[in-house]
Amino acid sequence: PPPPAPPVTKAAYVGCYWDKGYPDRGGKEPCDLPVIKSGNCPHAAGAATTSDRPMTLEQCQVLCDGHEYFGVQDGGSGCFCGAGYGKYGLSTNCTIPCRGNSSEICGGLGCNSIYRTQNVTA
Protein backbone atom coordinates (compact mmCIF):
# COMPACT_ATOMS: atom_id res chain seq x y z
CA PRO A 1 0.00 0.00 0.00
CA PRO A 2 1.12 3.60 -0.52
CA PRO A 3 2.54 5.48 2.46
CA PRO A 4 0.05 7.63 4.40
CA ALA A 5 -0.35 11.21 3.26
CA PRO A 6 1.60 13.76 5.28
CA PRO A 7 -0.44 15.72 7.80
CA VAL A 8 -1.87 19.02 6.63
CA THR A 9 -0.26 21.95 8.39
CA LYS A 10 -2.51 24.49 10.03
CA ALA A 11 -3.54 27.26 7.66
CA ALA A 12 -2.94 30.87 8.68
CA TYR A 13 -6.21 32.80 9.12
CA VAL A 14 -6.15 36.16 7.31
CA GLY A 15 -9.65 37.51 7.92
CA CYS A 16 -13.27 37.68 6.78
CA TYR A 17 -13.98 39.32 3.41
CA TRP A 18 -17.09 39.93 1.31
CA ASP A 19 -17.46 37.96 -1.93
CA LYS A 20 -19.38 38.25 -5.23
CA GLY A 21 -20.07 41.95 -4.74
CA TYR A 22 -21.79 41.66 -1.38
CA PRO A 23 -23.09 43.61 0.39
CA ASP A 24 -23.54 46.39 -2.18
CA ARG A 25 -24.03 44.52 -5.45
CA GLY A 26 -26.13 41.56 -4.32
CA GLY A 27 -23.88 38.64 -5.25
CA LYS A 28 -23.83 39.30 -8.98
CA GLU A 29 -20.11 40.12 -9.31
CA PRO A 30 -17.22 37.69 -9.99
CA CYS A 31 -15.82 35.73 -7.06
CA ASP A 32 -13.05 37.34 -5.05
CA LEU A 33 -11.01 34.12 -5.27
CA PRO A 34 -11.37 32.97 -8.89
CA VAL A 35 -10.58 29.24 -8.66
CA ILE A 36 -13.71 27.29 -7.71
CA LYS A 37 -13.26 23.99 -5.91
CA SER A 38 -16.76 23.81 -4.43
CA GLY A 39 -19.74 26.11 -4.83
CA ASN A 40 -20.36 28.51 -7.69
CA CYS A 41 -19.47 31.97 -8.94
CA PRO A 42 -21.21 34.40 -11.27
CA HIS A 43 -19.29 34.90 -14.53
CA ALA A 44 -17.00 31.89 -13.89
CA ALA A 45 -16.04 29.50 -16.64
CA GLY A 46 -16.01 25.78 -15.90
CA ALA A 47 -17.64 23.63 -13.30
CA ALA A 48 -16.62 23.39 -9.68
CA THR A 49 -15.07 20.29 -8.25
CA THR A 50 -17.39 19.08 -5.53
CA SER A 51 -17.11 16.51 -2.81
CA ASP A 52 -19.66 14.42 -0.97
CA ARG A 53 -17.69 14.99 2.22
CA PRO A 54 -18.77 17.96 4.35
CA MET A 55 -16.13 20.69 4.02
CA THR A 56 -13.44 21.43 6.60
CA LEU A 57 -10.62 23.96 6.50
CA GLU A 58 -8.17 21.13 5.97
CA GLN A 59 -10.12 19.72 3.03
CA CYS A 60 -10.34 23.11 1.28
CA GLN A 61 -6.65 23.71 1.92
CA VAL A 62 -5.77 20.41 0.24
CA LEU A 63 -8.06 21.23 -2.71
CA CYS A 64 -6.32 24.60 -3.06
CA ASP A 65 -2.75 23.31 -2.83
CA GLY A 66 -0.59 25.35 -5.18
CA HIS A 67 -2.57 28.57 -4.62
CA GLU A 68 -1.50 31.27 -2.20
CA TYR A 69 -4.90 31.70 -0.51
CA PHE A 70 -8.11 29.78 0.03
CA GLY A 71 -11.50 30.82 1.28
CA VAL A 72 -14.48 28.94 2.65
CA GLN A 73 -18.02 30.29 2.53
CA ASP A 74 -21.48 29.51 3.86
CA GLY A 75 -20.48 26.68 6.18
CA GLY A 76 -18.21 25.16 3.56
CA SER A 77 -20.58 24.99 0.60
CA GLY A 78 -17.98 27.16 -1.12
CA CYS A 79 -14.23 26.49 -1.34
CA PHE A 80 -12.30 28.96 -3.48
CA CYS A 81 -8.61 29.57 -4.23
CA GLY A 82 -6.46 32.31 -5.70
CA ALA A 83 -3.48 34.63 -5.48
CA GLY A 84 -5.31 37.59 -3.93
CA TYR A 85 -8.42 38.54 -1.99
CA GLY A 86 -10.32 41.48 -0.54
CA LYS A 87 -11.64 43.42 -3.55
CA TYR A 88 -15.11 43.69 -1.93
CA GLY A 89 -13.83 44.71 1.51
CA LEU A 90 -13.78 43.39 5.06
CA SER A 91 -16.80 41.67 6.59
CA THR A 92 -17.79 40.60 10.09
CA ASN A 93 -20.26 37.93 8.90
CA CYS A 94 -17.96 34.89 9.02
CA THR A 95 -19.87 33.06 11.74
CA ILE A 96 -21.05 29.75 10.19
CA PRO A 97 -19.40 26.57 11.49
CA CYS A 98 -17.94 24.18 8.91
CA ARG A 99 -20.27 21.31 8.07
CA GLY A 100 -17.39 18.86 8.38
CA ASN A 101 -16.01 20.22 11.67
CA SER A 102 -18.26 22.42 13.79
CA SER A 103 -15.27 23.71 15.80
CA GLU A 104 -14.05 25.54 12.67
CA ILE A 105 -15.65 28.61 11.03
CA CYS A 106 -16.31 28.35 7.28
CA GLY A 107 -17.26 31.89 6.30
CA GLY A 108 -20.79 33.21 6.13
CA LEU A 109 -23.50 34.20 3.68
CA GLY A 110 -21.77 36.16 0.95
CA CYS A 111 -18.38 36.20 2.66
CA ASN A 112 -15.24 34.09 2.85
CA SER A 113 -13.04 33.13 5.76
CA ILE A 114 -9.67 33.68 4.04
CA TYR A 115 -6.58 31.63 4.87
CA ARG A 116 -3.01 31.70 3.60
CA THR A 117 -2.35 28.25 2.17
CA GLN A 118 0.41 26.26 3.75
CA ASN A 119 2.17 24.06 1.21
CA VAL A 120 0.69 20.59 1.64
CA THR A 121 2.80 18.77 -0.96
CA ALA A 122 6.29 17.57 -0.28
Side-chain angles (χ1 to χ4, degrees), residues 23-91:
D24 301 328
R25 292 181 290 277
K28 298 186 185 336
E29 298 295 317
C31 282
D32 196 24
L33 294 166
V35 180
I36 310 162
K37 296 298 182 174
S38 178
N40 60 66
C41 289
H43 314 291
T49 303
T50 58
S51 171
D52 292 335
R53 293 176 43 204
M55 190 62 66
T56 64
L57 298 180
E58 294 78 14
Q59 182 181 357
C60 187
Q61 178 174 308
V62 168
L63 291 171
C64 290
D65 190 30
H67 297 278
E68 190 171 354
Y69 298 98
F70 71 93
V72 285
Q73 186 175 129
D74 193 19
S77 65
C79 171
F80 308 100
C81 325
Y85 63 89
K87 66 182 164 189
Y88 301 114
L90 282 166
S91 172

Side-chain angles (χ1 to χ4, degrees), residues 7-19:
V8 176
T9 49
K10 193 83 171 158
Y13 181 67
V14 175
C16 181
Y17 290 84
W18 289 111
D19 192 21

Side-chain angles (χ1 to χ4, degrees), residues 34 71-72 102 120:
V72 285
S102 62
V120 294

